[in-house]
Amino acid sequence: MKEEYDMRKVTAYVLCAALLASLTGCGGAGSGSGGAGSDNKDSAKGNTESGAAAGVETSLASDNKDSEGSASQPVTITFMNWGMAENTTIPAFEAMIAAFNESHPDIQVESIAEAYNSYLDQTLILNASKEMPDCLQVHNSMFSAMVSAGALADIDSYIEEDVRKDFYGNLMDALNYDGRQLGLPWAPSSEVLYCNMELLDKAGFDKVPDTMAELRDMAAAVTALGMDENGNTIYGLGLQTKAMDSSGFYFLPYLWNYGGDMCDEEGNITIYSPESMEAFDFVKGLVNDGITPVGQEIKDLRNMFANNQVAFIVDTAFGYAAIQNMAANREEFDAHTKLCAIPSDTGTPINFFIAHNLAVSQQSEHKEEAYTFIQWLSSAEAVEIYNTYSANIMPSRTSVEGLAYYSAPGNEYTQVYIEELPKARALPEKFSGFKASMLDIANALQRIIINHEDTASVVSDLEEQLKTDYVK
Amino acid sequence: MRTKTLKKILVYGFLILLIGMFLFPVYWMVIASFKDNSVLISWPPDFSLSFSNLDNYRTMFGNAKYLGYFKNSLITSAGSVAISLMVSVLAAYGFSRFQFRGKNLLMTSLMNIQVFPVTVIIISLFTFYSKLGLQSTYQGLILADLVYSLPFTVWFLKAFIDTVPVSLDEAARIDGCSRLQVLWQVILPVVRPGLIAISIYTFLYSWDDFVFAQIIMKKETMKTLPVGMASSFIGEFIFDYAGMMTLSVLASLPVVVAFIFAGKYMVEGLTSGAVKG
Amino acid sequence: MVKEKDTRFAVLCILPAFIGVGLVVLAPILKAIWMSFTDYKLTSVKAPEWNGFANYRSLFSSGEAGAYFAVTLMFIFLVVSVQFLIALAVALLLNARFIKGRNVMRALFMIPWTIPSVVTALLWSWMLHSQYGVFNWILYHMGLIDNINLVWTSSNTLALPSVVLACVWRQTPYMMVMLLAGLQSVPYDLMEAARVDGAGSWHTFAHILLPSIRPVIDTSIMVAIINNSQMFTIIYNMTGGGPMGRTTTFSVGAYLEAFISYDFGKGSALGVVWLVFLGVFVFLYRRYSDKKTSSYM
């Protein structure tokens, strides 16, 4: 009996608590329930109130912006990014934002962190719900989707002529849609070939490959080494073939090498060609001969490269730091890793670039301030801070090239990325169907190498699929 | 006698084998949390448990954000349980004790909201949440988690209440109890075990929720464990296996301990109720 | 059994639950049903236009719907049946009278349930990795596979089993807890009586034990089916729905339509098809289960 009574008391307590919580939940007043939650809310409220109160003052004092230490109220802008979500880049982003806030007392930047994997989804949801931040970090593979959703603002009128000329032309053009400049390039990188000289040495080579044909022979020779002393299988060349969009664009250099292409400049699909089939057959051959592991994504390949399991991979400057982090011994890794251009049989460059671009959102009410911030982020001052805390952030502007970081002892390899960048091609990313198209290519690759289907029919299916998916 | 001992040995042996198979991945997580990533991505695998490398744990305890994730998850899960208890007790009572038209349809539709792919409704949901100012609040996430675990808790609880003889209700009514008093004083004490069972279900449902937590908790300080773990350890460039395993070992530990203590109630729980469905 | 026909009170009781549900999901689902008849695109700035059954036609004529159906049913069948069999075995053994330390063993079995799905996905794709996964190493050195670099999550045949394995691992504890609870409620006398009557253990199991926990089994399986039809996190993080759609269930397919092709019209249409299918299933199940229950009483 007594136990029952106690239980009743407990239940009553729980029910009361629940009732309270549900009441506050519906009322939205947020008073009292959930300690930290209401704290945050209150402080936020405090901010906006004082902001409104000071609004009058700001408009009065707006003319004498220069007067130092004036009590003018700063404009707060929000900056959405994935840098603040990842442990490796948090310190750098914190430092950059702090430096900007310090040097620009009239603008205060607040960060909204979102994980990279779901970044595009979440942005599009925010855009559809009219909740966009003022400015944002945008990977170039995500750019066209945001553009067609009308999420990004034309910042052309804010860009001063000398600043515009400072940016690399190919990067800038990729963000230009019919004369509308919808973003600024930032932290770009060309894709280059990473070579593990230790493995190559074991296979009897002491140089990097000059042509794709040579690369294949060298890769085959490395594969013939079999296993290392710990039982890890050694591969010649790492290729992405998992069911994901990046598998599609990491295939493009091989496609380009054989003279094929996904589409022309207007977005007309041109993949159904003997040249493309040759490229698909090249990959098929690599798999059949055991030169490349099946079903990997770039993160797996980085792990394998760090573990001396693969002689060649194609990766960016960001990848270097990531692999270094996974490697058992950083010095050894630095010593036996050599970078070079992705070798092409015809001599025409076949690398592409990726970039973390910056954009101002169409919904922002502080576009000018947001532009000031993103322009600053791409400057030498910011990139220097970025490189202090993080590694291998490459310049998107000529004026940033001269940073001491790139020529510091031990960092000479970064010159390869800088040299390759102007030659690098843009991904076929101008249409919103980019992501779906890249997944189509990945799917075609899987049909050929996993399902062993006939190349010609797969590529002809792919052509039809791309026609419906790419420009839609 | 001998066959009985043999049988015992066989049963224990089989159980231990099964536990071993089920706990091997857990063991793998635990030992990974004491290792450096470079060890985790190459063969031969190291099966030994060694406490010599505490770097991962130092990182976890050295960074307040991880504690924040844990706290947010705990508040959301506990909050869902509290409200879920109240709402589903009432609903289950209504469904169990009263006969009305469309009851079957209502119960079916309650279950059916579960099956619509969440990814498709997420935009309308988010718009609605931002209009109400429920973004980045515990109330908002609790509401969403609650609604998605409610169908099951109502179904299970209805089954429990069905097993309580109506004669008990009637006796109490004759004594002058109101219907709510009957629920409160007669039925709830009897189905206490059922309450514990659905509490665990709801708790773990919220604990695991990813899609809602990601869309509702936009503020860094409000993120829950699964979302925080995904964004901290599955980055643009690498998987941080060691970090992820360390944090999930730390986060699961208190829950598992709570299970061991709740064990007694859980059995009683379903004992008295579920038999009669 | 007398039930009071006091509809108003009953409605008051169930109202809070339905208010919650109505607030959070009803409006979005209605909107999604409307979207399924339009050309709503996430990446389009123009207002969505009504296009009748075009989304449905394209789903069925392209064969996507059929493929998703096949994968989803296969996935659910495998996950639920495997977890049920394992859970039943464990529950039967743990239910044996002489078992000591039942609480601790049950708690140990429950650990996988506390591991979030995101972690489960990463953990299993890591353990099943073809190049440095621990499973390949163990299986090879036990002589069970010839190829030490066996590909799991990107294989034609093994991708689905891989995600099933991860899901079973995480969900079996739930099923086990429910079944064990049901078993422990069966009076011991009943079993003893059967044994005295000379019934063998198979007979006791099939004719006494199983029927008496039947309602628990039904409800638990129902819940498992519904939960797995929503399964997204583990599948998508392990295989991305591939290779070649081999693991694309309805929920993964809806995501791909909505966030890779940005086609919310088609994504919603997928949701509606699945809603109708499962809705009929649940309704029939309720009818059947109600009949069962009333025959008990």
Side-chain angles (χ1 to χ4, degrees):
Chain A
M1 235 7 234
K2 196 172 171 215
E3 205 184 317
E4 266 179 41
Y5 179 70
D6 284 345
M7 197 54 213
R8 270 209 307 268
K9 252 168 54 181
V10 171
T11 321
Y13 183 69
V14 167
L15 286 178
C16 287
L19 190 65
L20 267 179
S22 71
L23 285 179
T24 54
C26 297
S31 59
S33 80
S38 53
D39 284 350
N40 285 340
K41 219 174 194 177
D42 289 347
S43 66
K45 230 177 236 165
N47 279 343
T48 50
E49 267 160 26
S50 61
V56 188
E57 256 175 75
T58 320
S59 59
L60 287 176
S62 63
D63 283 342
N64 50 352
K65 250 184 205 165
D66 298 347
S67 69
E68 289 228 0
S70 79
S72 73
Q73 204 56 39
V75 174
T76 300
I77 57 169
T78 47
F79 171 50
M80 184 156 125
N81 58 81
W82 65 88
M84 285 290 272
E86 300 192 9
N87 286 347
T88 45
T89 43
I90 288 174
F93 273 64
E94 272 175 351
M96 281 188 286
I97 293 173
F100 178 84
N101 286 345
E102 183 140 338
S103 60
H104 296 75
D106 48 342
I107 307 174
Q108 288 302 302
V109 177
E110 261 175 30
S111 160
I112 301 172
E114 196 61 66
Y116 176 77
N117 273 344
S118 42
Y119 192 81
L120 179 58
D121 310 352
Q122 299 293 316
T123 315
L124 292 173
I125 293 173
L126 289 176
N127 183 59
S129 317
K130 309 266 178 287
E131 294 281 335
M132 277 293 267
D134 293 297
C135 50
L136 57 162
Q137 183 183 15
V138 191
H139 194 279
N140 57 335
S141 66
M142 308 167 178
F143 207 82
S144 56
M146 293 193 196
V147 171
S148 35
L152 307 181
D154 182 2
I155 49 173
D156 204 62
S157 57
Y158 301 121
I159 309 175
E160 288 153 22
E161 234 12 72
D162 55 325
V163 174
R164 191 193 305 270
K165 279 189 195 127
D166 195 18
F167 281 103
Y168 295 146
N170 55 341
L171 300 183
M172 205 61 169
D173 289 346
L175 310 181
N176 195 299
Y177 286 70
D178 310 319
R180 293 175 302 149
Q181 190 66 39
L182 298 169
L184 294 178
W186 185 46
S189 174
S190 153
E191 299 283 341
V192 302
L193 187 71
Y194 284 55
C195 313
N196 184 323
M197 300 313 285
E198 196 180 308
L199 283 179
L200 289 175
D201 183 55
K202 277 187 193 153
F205 302 99
D206 63 346
K207 62 182 276 282
V208 298
D210 294 321
T211 63
M212 190 61 84
E214 195 183 350
L215 184 147
R216 198 200 182 282
D217 292 342
M218 288 167 78
V222 172
T223 307
L225 293 173
M227 280 185 179
D228 69 8
E229 65 277 13
N230 293 319
N232 297 289
T233 312
I234 294 172
Y235 295 91
L237 172 62
L239 255 183
Q240 262 212 118
T241 44
K242 199 182 168 180
M244 57 199 295
D245 56 345
S246 53
S247 302
F249 56 81
Y250 273 98
F251 171 68
L252 292 176
Y254 306 96
L255 187 64
W256 293 336
N257 179 61
Y258 288 96
D261 206 346
M262 187 186 117
C263 59
D264 61 17
E265 290 196 346
E266 280 78 49
N268 301 311
I269 302 301
T270 57
I271 198 134
Y272 188 62
S273 67
E275 289 84 9
S276 314
M277 285 182 229
E278 215 176 323
F280 278 100
D281 281 334
F282 171 75
V283 176
K284 187 181 180 175
L286 290 179
V287 172
N288 287 349
D289 298 345
I291 297 174
T292 192
V294 176
Q296 310 297 318
E297 64 174 294
I298 184 72
K299 294 173 194 172
D300 302 317
L301 296 174
R302 286 186 183 123
N303 290 346
M304 292 174 67
F305 194 85
N307 191 33
N308 294 333
Q309 257 186 282
V310 56
F312 300 111
I313 62 169
V314 169
D315 202 353
T316 58
F318 304 103
Y320 194 93
I323 303 171
Q324 219 178 17
N325 268 332
M326 294 306 267
N329 186 329
R330 294 174 79 122
E331 284 74 34
E332 260 175 41
F333 167 78
D334 284 339
H336 67 60
T337 302
K338 237 187 192 170
L339 308 180
C340 66
I342 307 173
S344 128
D345 285 331
T346 55
T348 4
I350 51 169
N351 57 333
F352 63 89
F353 63 85
I354 63 138
H356 294 172
N357 304 304
L358 295 162
V360 173
S361 85
Q362 185 65 44
Q363 287 163 21
S364 167
E365 286 168 6
H366 303 289
K367 294 197 177 69
E368 195 167 355
E369 288 83 357
Y371 171 75
T372 310
F373 174 62
I374 63 168
Q375 200 269 105
W376 180 84
L377 276 182
S378 67
S379 71
E381 192 188 346
V383 176
E384 187 169 18
I385 302 175
Y386 202 161
N387 270 320
T388 314
Y389 292 91
S390 212
N392 287 356
I393 305 307
M394 293 296 127
S396 60
R397 298 163 69 157
T398 324
S399 63
V400 185
E401 271 175 38
L403 282 183
Y405 177 85
Y406 304 117
S407 48
N411 287 356
E412 293 86 358
Y413 65 89
T414 55
Q415 292 303 325
V416 179
Y417 305 110
I418 298 179
E419 276 161 31
E420 289 304 312
L421 190 58
K423 303 179 216 160
R425 296 169 69 161
L427 292 170
E429 58 193 15
K430 280 249 164 123
F431 295 93
S432 66
F434 173 70
K435 217 174 171 181
S437 306
M438 291 299 125
L439 203 56
D440 291 339
I441 295 183
N443 201 41
L445 274 172
Q446 291 196 327
R447 282 178 62 186
I448 292 171
I449 62 168
I450 298 174
N451 226 17
H452 308 294
E453 288 179 52
D454 170 54
T455 311
S457 65
V458 171
V459 178
S460 126
D461 288 353
L462 176 62
E463 167 114 352
E464 294 312 308
Q465 192 67 44
L466 287 175
K467 276 180 185 160
T468 51
D469 282 353
Y470 186 47
V471 186
K472 201 163 142 185
Chain B
M1 211 52 217
R2 192 177 292 155
T3 54
K4 233 177 185 173
T5 331
L6 191 69
K7 202 176 132 195
K8 265 191 193 178
I9 291 173
L10 272 178
V11 168
Y12 273 116
F14 189 67
L15 272 175
I16 288 167
L17 187 76
L18 266 175
I19 291 185
M21 279 161 67
F22 262 76
L23 290 195
F24 176 72
V26 178
Y27 176 72
W28 201 240
M29 286 174 80
V30 173
I31 59 173
S33 69
F34 293 101
K35 293 191 171 113
D36 186 71
N37 265 322
S38 60
V39 184
L40 304 179
I41 53 161
S42 63
W43 283 335
D46 176 7
F47 292 95
S48 65
L49 176 62
S50 124
F51 300 105
S52 55
N53 180 353
L54 294 173
D55 289 352
N56 300 322
Y57 285 91
R58 255 179 233 124
T59 319
M60 295 304 142
F61 285 112
N63 194 335
K65 78 170 181 178
Y66 298 118
L67 194 66
Y69 297 153
F70 183 76
K71 186 193 75 181
N72 294 333
S73 270
L74 207 60
I75 292 177
T76 323
S77 302
S80 305
V81 171
I83 303 177
S84 171
L85 275 180
M86 184 179 74
V87 176
S88 44
V89 161
L90 280 178
Y93 181 58
F95 278 128
S96 168
R97 284 297 190 258
F98 302 96
Q99 211 50 279
F100 49 90
R101 263 221 309 224
K103 189 167 105 169
N104 195 6
L105 194 71
L106 278 178
M107 279 197 80
T108 310
S109 55
L110 194 62
M111 191 60 120
N112 271 2
I113 59 142
Q114 266 281 338
V115 305
F116 206 85
V118 176
T119 42
V120 183
I121 62 166
I122 206 99
I123 289 188
S124 333
L125 188 73
F126 185 73
T127 314
F128 165 77
Y129 263 64
S130 45
K131 270 183 199 143
L132 277 181
L134 285 172
Q135 276 169 265
S136 290
T137 63
Y138 293 117
Q139 299 96 310
L141 184 54
I142 288 173
L143 186 63
D145 284 342
L146 172 76
V147 162
Y148 267 78
S149 55
L150 205 57
F152 304 138
T153 56
V154 172
W155 275 43
F156 273 122
L157 254 191
K158 177 188 176 286
F160 284 111
I161 296 180
D162 278 346
T163 62
V164 180
V166 185
S167 53
L168 277 182
D169 296 33
E170 281 158 0
R173 288 302 298 277
I174 291 164
D175 285 350
C177 288
S178 74
R179 283 200 201 82
L180 276 181
Q181 277 171 325
V182 170
L183 173 64
W184 197 247
Q185 292 174 357
V186 178
I187 296 178
L188 282 191
V190 181
V191 300
R192 169 185 71 176
L195 296 176
I196 287 166
I198 64 160
S199 301
I200 290 172
Y201 183 91
T202 314
F203 186 91
L204 287 177
Y205 190 92
S206 306
W207 190 252
D208 182 42
D209 171 49
F210 185 82
V211 180
F212 290 119
Q214 185 179 39
I215 187 82
I216 295 170
M217 298 306 214
K218 283 282 173 217
K219 228 183 241 160
E220 182 62 28
T221 51
M222 296 298 284
K223 282 184 178 159
T224 58
L225 269 173
V227 179
M229 286 202 265
S231 70
S232 302
F233 305 122
I234 307 181
E236 182 185 359
F237 307 113
I238 52 160
F239 300 116
D240 183 356
Y241 295 115
M244 190 140 193
M245 298 314 151
T246 310
L247 187 54
S248 46
V249 167
L250 281 175
S252 290
L253 208 60
V255 183
V256 174
V257 172
F259 276 161
I260 295 182
F261 283 110
K264 192 170 146 263
Y265 298 101
M266 282 160 54
V267 175
E268 279 179 36
L270 296 144
T271 302
S272 50
V275 187
K276 289 199 179 158
Chain C
M1 183 181 211
V2 188
K3 299 225 179 184
E4 297 178 53
K5 292 195 189 286
D6 190 342
T7 315
R8 216 176 55 178
F9 183 77
V11 167
L12 278 179
C13 280
I14 61 171
L15 206 57
F18 280 87
I19 288 176
V21 171
L23 264 181
V24 178
V25 287
L26 198 61
I29 287 181
L30 290 178
K31 186 158 180 214
I33 293 175
W34 168 76
M35 282 196 297
S36 73
F37 295 103
T38 68
D39 59 355
Y40 189 102
K41 290 276 282 186
L42 200 48
T43 50
S44 170
V45 278
K46 70 174 184 63
E49 270 170 37
W50 187 266
N51 65 1
F53 284 88
N55 294 323
Y56 293 91
R57 264 201 304 276
S58 116
L59 273 181
F60 283 98
S61 65
S62 68
E64 282 166 281
Y68 295 157
F69 250 111
V71 174
T72 311
L73 293 180
M74 192 62 182
F75 170 75
I76 293 180
F77 171 75
L78 285 176
V79 172
V80 177
S81 58
V82 173
Q83 80 182 53
F84 174 72
L85 291 178
I86 299 177
L88 187 65
V90 174
L92 282 173
L93 294 181
L94 276 183
N95 193 43
R97 264 223 146 175
F98 56 83
I99 289 286
K100 298 233 162 46
R102 188 178 290 136
N103 280 349
V104 173
M105 279 201 257
R106 186 184 38 228
L108 287 178
F109 264 118
M110 280 171 76
I111 294 178
W113 199 6
T114 68
I115 310 291
S117 299
V118 187
V119 183
T120 305
L122 187 75
L123 175 69
W124 279 89
S125 39
W126 170 41
M127 291 197 306
L128 293 173
H129 195 273
S130 61
Q131 305 301 321
Y132 44 79
V134 64
F135 267 75
N136 273 358
W137 199 86
I138 294 177
L139 293 177
Y140 181 80
H141 285 96
M142 283 170 69
L144 293 172
I145 53 173
D146 301 328
N147 175 6
I148 194 166
N149 295 120
L150 187 64
V151 176
W152 290 82
T153 51
S154 287
S155 143
N156 247 343
T157 44
L158 291 177
L160 191 64
S162 306
V163 291
V164 167
L165 195 59
C167 292
V168 164
W169 178 72
R170 191 172 178 276
Q171 296 171 8
T172 304
Y174 146 79
M175 188 63 88
M176 186 270 297
V177 166
M178 295 298 167
L179 295 185
L180 178 62
L183 282 174
Q184 296 221 315
S185 67
V186 178
Y188 190 69
D189 313 346
L190 202 65
M191 312 278 295
E192 278 300 278
R195 219 162 268 142
V196 171
D197 286 349
S201 35
W202 170 250
H203 186 89
T204 337
F205 172 73
H207 295 276
I208 297 172
L209 214 49
L210 218 48
S212 52
I213 61 165
R214 187 61 190 272
V216 185
I217 294 179
D218 285 353
T219 312
S220 312
I221 287 185
M222 181 77 217
V223 169
I225 289 175
I226 304 255
N227 268 338
N228 278 301
S229 76
Q230 277 283 12
M231 178 52 72
F232 170 77
T233 313
I234 292 182
I235 303 179
Y236 191 71
N237 283 302
M238 281 182 77
T239 65
M244 294 153 287
R246 288 287 195 296
T247 54
T248 308
T249 59
F250 262 93
S251 58
V252 174
Y255 172 83
L256 293 178
E257 289 296 348
F259 286 103
I260 299 289
S261 307
Y262 316 116
D263 192 339
F264 265 64
K266 238 168 132 183
S268 307
L270 264 183
V272 173
V273 170
W274 187 240
L275 180 75
V276 169
F277 173 75
L278 221 62
V280 171
F281 173 75
V282 176
F283 188 77
L284 292 178
Y285 167 85
R286 280 289 317 153
R287 297 265 302 258
Y288 151 86
S289 139
D290 259 6
K291 233 176 250 159
K292 276 258 168 196
T293 311
S294 52
S295 70
Y296 272 105
M297 284 182 170

